[in-house]
Amino acid sequence: MLVDRRRVLSCGLVLMLGAGAVADVAAQARGGAVQGRGSAVQGRGGRGQAPRDAGSTPREIQAQFDAYVIAQAESALQISEEQYPQFVRRVRALQAARREARMRRNRLLAQINQQLRAGDTIDDAKLTAAARAVDEHERAALADVQKAYASIDEVLTPWQSARFRVLEDQLEQKKLDMLFRARQGPRR
């Protein structure tokens, strides 16, 4: 029963911090003031510190959301004590693989954009090579993500694996909804 209370408390704290962080970013974007927070998120062995300064960076928001995903998955998938350490490590590897793939893709696209801004001096061969580099990167990134999923599946039951896929989709939709509402600003 004590573990369940910790799970509920952990999930609640992570949700509040994640929602607050998204609101902070939205307030900063609108030029509003943001109040700092100094609370910590505690899970089964996991620690995450909420930002103490006047706002949250995108990296801090992503870290809070990553922790929220793990907390939600722990509960929804009924992760056992034996599964927990490996599950967390492997989910974090999945999250890191996705993040690295996104950053690399953005860098490649920025290089293409820089070439396109060259105007009349555009080199078709360089553009073709750059576009192929993006395609190759996307293939490699997909393979890395698939390997990460396979690694997670090694510690989960088939039911947990399937539930994890559905949960991730639901949480991603929730994140997009929160960001959309934050960008719209406060309702009057």
Side-chain angles (χ1 to χ4, degrees):
M1 198 58 139
L2 182 59
V3 173
D4 290 336
R5 287 183 187 154
R6 284 184 184 162
R7 284 182 188 169
V8 170
L9 179 59
S10 174
C11 292
L13 286 173
V14 171
L15 178 59
M16 288 186 315
L17 289 172
V22 170
D24 289 352
V25 169
Q28 283 179 336
R30 290 187 308 272
V34 179
Q35 296 177 351
R37 285 183 282 295
S39 57
V41 177
Q42 298 284 333
R44 192 188 327 179
R47 294 184 193 122
Q49 190 72 21
R52 289 190 192 107
D53 55 56
S56 298
T57 66
R59 183 175 293 192
E60 290 168 335
I61 292 169
Q62 187 62 53
Q64 290 171 354
F65 192 78
D66 289 350
Y68 176 68
V69 167
I70 290 172
Q72 290 296 303
E74 178 187 359
S75 175
L77 277 56
Q78 302 168 4
I79 300 293
S80 70
E81 294 287 333
E82 297 79 31
Q83 291 173 309
Y84 185 78
Q86 289 184 41
F87 175 74
V88 170
R89 187 173 58 252
R90 293 172 188 208
V91 169
R92 286 184 179 152
L94 170 65
Q95 293 167 335
R98 284 184 178 148
R99 194 169 16 266
E100 177 58 34
R102 189 171 42 253
M103 290 186 316
R104 174 83 172 125
R105 184 176 190 276
N106 288 344
R107 283 192 299 267
L108 290 169
L109 290 173
Q111 290 171 359
I112 290 174
N113 194 31
Q114 188 176 29
Q115 290 177 18
L116 291 171
R117 281 189 258 127
D120 293 336
T121 61
I122 294 176
D123 182 349
D124 288 345
K126 285 184 180 180
L127 284 176
T128 299
R132 286 185 182 149
V134 171
D135 294 343
E136 179 55 37
H137 164 70
E138 289 178 350
R139 280 190 287 277
L142 179 59
D144 290 344
V145 168
Q146 288 173 335
K147 286 178 192 175
Y149 271 118
S151 176
I152 291 168
D153 290 345
E154 290 174 359
V155 298
L156 298 178
T157 67
W159 179 87
Q160 289 172 321
S161 294
R163 179 68 180 112
F164 182 62
R165 302 309 196 282
V166 172
L167 177 68
E168 274 196 312
D169 186 63
Q170 291 169 340
L171 293 175
E172 183 65 23
Q173 185 60 49
K174 187 174 195 171
K175 178 174 77 171
L176 293 174
D177 291 344
M178 288 171 60
L179 289 171
F180 179 74
R181 284 193 305 262
R183 286 186 182 140
Q184 287 184 328
R187 297 183 190 255
R188 295 179 187 175

